[in-house]
Amino acid sequence: MGDSNGSGMDRRALLGGAALGAGLIAGGVAAAPQAAEAQVLFPKAGGGFGGPFGGGGSVAGAVCRSENDLYDCEVEGKLPADLDGVFYRVGPDPQYPKPPQWTMDIPFDGEGHISMFRIKDGHVDFRSRYARNQRWKAQHAARRSLFGMYRNPATDDPSVKGLSRGTANTQIVYHHNRLFAMKEDSPPVAMDPLTLETTDDYYTFGGGMKSLTFTAHPKIDPHTGEMIAFGYEAKGFYTPDIEVFSCDKTGKVNWSAWVKSPYTCMIHDFGVTQKHIAFLATPLAANQELLAKGGPHWAWDSSLPSYLGVMRRGGDGSDIQWIKGPGWMATHTMGAWSEGDKLYFDVDGAPGNQFPFFPSVHEPFDPKASVGRVVRLTADMSTKNPDGYGRETLFPQITGALSRQDDRYHTVPYRWGILNGGGWNLLDHQTGKAQTFTLPGAMLAEATFVPRHRNAPEGDGYLIGVASHMKENGRSDLLIVDTQDIAAGPIATVHMPYRVVGQIHGLWVPGDQLPKHA
Ligand SMILES: [Fe+2]
């Protein structure tokens, strides 16, 4: 989940959504679902679902919806001849307009539309496809929206009871020759990494995963090739249960443990090291009163504390310590590692609610408190029942969200981080220096790191991501900048003739890791 998607992010729309949410908290009554209009027509006014932000990262109130193929895209500049791989992206792209009573739905509720730029031999081919998950198929057959408010099943059309509500719109991961599109309220959707054909609309690792949910941000251990993941609300709606598990290179689940969160809240990402697993529980909490009124799943409850939960990786979970701290919020992991019993866990944190469309229980949304910075959390696990956890802001001059790293350094000490906000910020933890790339007149989606080649040192390579040009109705370019000098601008620009589907997160997969029939 994130907030930078190459869209014309409209503050009024976001605040309008917050006001609607606040109304629900204050006692607004939602109408029962009704049949959609026979004709398909998205709302033209901003602020509603399908509006500037809700339009799946699109602009001017438009959604995308068009599944496209473009062979041999235009390329300006010098695309490295040896650059070989796929840049995948995913974001919410509403399949159908919501019925009128759910047009205030939040931007994260659109159906997952995955796109890929296949780069090889100096050429770029583009393809985009929706995840054909259970939700997409039901709505496609009905030719209308059947799912109401974000993660609120009581608002659904009765015909979809029992189907997975997952949108598969948040992030993708590639593991055991499968591409997975993920939404944290449901199991992943498996897709063919070369064609984007959906191959499994409810993937459970051969039954090895017992959780009913799966994070959008699993981690890959660079030493073992294992994928480590978790699901929260793992035993169903409202439940505090978390399953954390790993699978080997073949997808076989080889470790699983169950723990309980101190309260049921959004746990969007987590920290994985060679030794520890870390969860951060923050006050964006499940709010049953809000849900009963037809609202979204979460509300910001500033009266709640935070907890940093740390457990031994590979254990049974009984050793987890939930270390209490002040109420604040973080959404994404930049990196995490352990030194002995000490955990280091870097996140994109902010003092308050980072998502204005999730209503606040006690006070109005505070834009200043939503601004994210890199925050380093520390905990010494040799101490039983520690008083608190360490929390230090790094690079205080750099603000943003959607923290990333060179993905080859999951679970181990790392040097280079990326923070997205107003531009692409490349942060050097060794020197404390930051480089920033900006493109005036364009919105930049999240940057993803691409190694220069298989054995390139950490951080040596490219940042890749999509720019949407505001004066061209959001027309898209794919930008590739060299991490040796990102301020110099793109070394290559892939000019798309249209606005590509929006994005929350992206993923680079090197060509030599793709299935052999590539
Ligand atoms: Fe995310």
Side-chain angles (χ1 to χ4, degrees):
M1 184 164 302
D3 60 1
S4 173
N5 57 3
S7 73
M9 203 181 300
D10 187 307
R11 176 62 65 184
R12 285 170 302 168
L14 293 175
L15 295 178
L20 279 164
L24 286 160
I25 283 273
V29 177
Q34 298 170 355
E37 296 292 330
Q39 294 184 171
V40 176
L41 184 65
F42 282 87
K44 293 292 181 280
F49 194 80
F53 189 81
S58 58
V59 294
V63 291
C64 182
R65 302 181 78 218
S66 175
E67 298 178 305
N68 290 336
D69 287 284
L70 181 59
Y71 187 71
D72 248 335
C73 304
E74 283 186 84
V75 181
E76 183 180 354
K78 184 76 180 149
L79 190 65
D82 59 352
L83 188 58
D84 176 9
V86 181
F87 177 49
Y88 296 99
R89 316 159 56 246
V90 63
D93 185 17
Q95 183 185 5
Y96 281 101
K98 295 276 177 172
Q101 67 271 34
W102 308 126
T103 53
M104 81 293 267
D105 194 9
I106 73 156
F108 294 154
D109 207 28
E111 283 67 32
H113 193 158
I114 293 86
S115 54
M116 61 187 283
F117 291 89
R118 176 71 174 105
I119 302 176
K120 190 177 184 184
D121 300 329
H123 292 269
V124 182
D125 302 326
F126 176 81
R127 165 167 287 193
S128 81
R129 294 289 185 273
Y130 274 109
R132 258 76 166 164
N133 55 9
Q134 295 181 10
R135 173 172 169 140
W136 187 94
K137 286 184 279 196
Q139 294 186 147
H140 185 77
R143 289 183 178 270
R144 66 186 177 95
S145 171
L146 299 170
F147 293 81
M149 178 57 76
Y150 173 80
R151 295 179 69 176
N152 188 341
T155 63
D156 292 348
D157 187 280
S159 66
V160 298
K161 189 173 174 56
L163 292 185
S164 171
R165 300 188 87 253
T167 49
N169 71 9
T170 309
Q171 175 58 314
I172 44 220
V173 70
Y174 178 72
H175 198 259
H176 55 286
N177 292 329
R178 291 167 176 82
L179 189 72
F180 296 103
M182 302 169 290
K183 176 75 183 182
E184 66 201 58
D185 67 350
S186 49
V189 173
M191 304 178 81
D192 183 303
L194 304 177
T195 67
L196 298 185
E197 176 194 0
T198 299
T199 55
D200 190 334
D201 66 11
Y202 197 87
Y203 191 82
T204 62
F205 298 81
M209 179 180 78
K210 304 304 178 192
S211 170
L212 299 174
T213 62
F214 185 86
T215 179
H217 292 291
K219 310 290 182 235
I220 310 287
D221 186 314
H223 300 310
T224 64
E226 292 169 299
M227 179 163 68
I228 305 96
F230 73 100
Y232 70 92
E233 297 195 16
K235 291 187 177 176
F237 219 53
Y238 301 139
T239 57
D241 303 274
I242 300 169
E243 182 185 22
V244 55
F245 67 98
S246 61
C247 69
D248 66 16
K249 286 184 195 171
T250 70
K252 183 175 171 16
V253 171
N254 58 9
W255 170 62
S256 169
W258 287 81
V259 295
K260 285 185 192 293
S261 180
Y263 56 88
T264 303
C265 59
M266 176 191 282
I267 305 177
H268 180 64
D269 202 341
F270 71 146
V272 181
T273 76
Q274 289 290 301
K275 189 170 182 179
H276 296 116
I277 303 282
F279 300 105
L280 187 64
T282 66
L284 201 58
N287 188 298
Q288 300 199 28
E289 184 189 356
L290 178 64
L291 284 159
K293 290 171 180 165
H297 199 80
W298 308 117
W300 176 256
D301 184 348
S302 57
S303 69
L304 291 169
S306 66
Y307 291 90
L308 177 65
V310 187
M311 60 183 276
R312 187 167 60 84
R313 180 174 157 192
D316 65 4
S318 61
D319 62 318
I320 192 163
Q321 297 204 69
W322 289 99
I323 309 168
K324 195 171 178 178
W328 68 298
M329 185 172 166
T331 308
H332 292 103
T333 301
M334 180 174 277
W337 76 98
S338 297
E339 283 177 12
D341 289 326
K342 194 158 183 188
L343 166 81
Y344 295 84
F345 181 18
D346 293 349
V347 296
D348 59 352
N353 183 8
Q354 295 176 303
F355 299 122
F357 39 81
F358 290 125
S360 295
V361 176
H362 303 294
E363 64 279 296
F365 174 74
D366 179 358
K368 280 187 188 162
S370 73
V371 175
R373 288 180 172 81
V374 182
V375 178
R376 175 159 294 170
L377 309 178
T378 50
D380 184 350
M381 301 317 296
S382 64
T383 307
K384 280 278 177 213
N385 304 314
D387 287 340
Y389 55 85
R391 197 166 61 122
E392 178 191 5
T393 299
L394 309 178
F395 304 94
Q397 76 280 19
I398 304 293
T399 60
L402 301 167
S403 51
R404 297 286 299 263
Q405 67 178 149
D406 179 337
D407 289 334
R408 297 172 300 169
Y409 287 76
H410 285 180
T411 78
V412 296
Y414 77 106
R415 173 177 174 181
W416 297 95
I418 304 165
L419 193 70
N420 293 271
W424 294 343
N425 301 295
L426 183 62
L427 311 179
D428 183 348
H429 288 294
Q430 187 169 304
T431 64
K433 290 184 177 161
Q435 300 177 60
T436 299
F437 166 68
T438 58
L439 191 63
M443 295 290 293
L444 294 174
E446 177 198 75
T448 295
F449 175 76
V450 177
R452 194 175 304 277
H453 51 77
R454 178 200 280 262
N455 298 315
E458 182 192 357
D460 180 29
Y462 313 100
L463 297 186
I464 193 168
V466 166
S468 300
H469 295 282
M470 296 298 103
K471 288 185 179 169
E472 298 178 63
N473 198 29
R475 189 192 61 76
S476 306
D477 283 336
L478 178 69
L479 310 180
I480 298 160
V481 301
D482 195 314
T483 56
Q484 299 298 331
D485 188 3
I486 72 166
I491 57 168
T493 300
V494 180
H495 292 301
M496 299 302 288
Y498 43 74
R499 171 176 48 81
V500 300
V501 63
Q503 171 185 341
I504 293 181
H505 292 297
L507 176 78
W508 174 259
V509 177
D512 61 6
Q513 293 181 19
L514 292 167
K516 291 292 175 273
H517 53 286

